[in-house]
Amino acid sequence: MLKQPPDCTVIIPTRNRRETLSTTLEQLLSLPDANFEVIAVDNASTDGTAALAGRYRDVRWIRLSENAGAAARNAAAREARGRILFMLDDDSWPEPGVIATSVKRLDACDDLAAIACRVLLAGHDRKHDAGGVPGI
């Protein structure tokens, strides 16, 4: 558990993707990056996603009564203790060191407000996800 306020809050909205979220949380919680918290926002799942709270006690959970879609991130942002928000989808996680490096870069540059990460597809020889747009 964190001994000081976290530098970063990782926010993950989800809906009816229990197994996918579980894989993501396993990867995320095994990272060596220090001093970050995780908030998962359950968008009114009906597949048992809420039961994961008992398995992942180091994750803070917010359960919404209806599906807010991507706006569920706002519920977590209001509850975040970290001064930096790190947004993930429920099927993605950063490589080791990315959270720590992001915090350092944001702290070092007063005129930097956001960082976007390159997405690599798992199981596809780490092919870059161009979001459907070639050459990005």
Side-chain angles (χ1 to χ4, degrees):
M1 226 40 208
L2 298 173
K3 295 181 171 122
Q4 59 189 11
D7 294 320
C8 180
T9 299
V10 176
I11 295 173
I12 307 171
T14 192
R15 178 168 167 81
N16 290 334
R17 290 173 44 116
R18 176 188 167 119
E19 295 309 314
T20 300
L21 177 63
S22 181
T23 298
T24 296
L25 292 175
E26 291 289 335
Q27 293 291 327
L28 189 59
L29 296 174
S30 71
L31 291 175
D33 303 62
N35 204 26
F36 68 92
E37 70 173 345
V38 178
I39 300 177
V41 185
D42 182 355
N43 262 322
S45 294
T46 58
D47 69 344
T49 295
L52 291 177
R55 187 161 138 201
Y56 298 100
R57 298 188 186 277
D58 288 339
V59 174
R60 292 175 55 205
W61 294 85
I62 297 173
R63 289 181 196 92
L64 302 180
S65 59
E66 58 186 47
N67 184 2
R73 296 175 193 278
N74 295 331
R78 285 189 292 274
E79 299 296 323
R81 294 184 290 222
R83 65 187 194 293
I84 294 169
L85 303 180
F86 198 100
M87 306 288 184
L88 292 178
D89 291 333
D90 59 9
D91 63 352
S92 63
W93 56 86
E95 292 193 356
V98 169
I99 293 174
T101 299
S102 297
V103 168
K104 286 179 189 171
R105 289 201 176 150
L106 285 162
D107 284 346
C109 300
D110 291 337
D111 60 347
L112 182 62
I115 295 174
C117 296
R118 182 175 53 169
V119 176
L120 303 174
L121 301 175
H124 293 64
D125 295 324
R126 301 179 55 80
K127 179 180 174 185
H128 175 68
D129 176 14
V133 181
I136 299 295

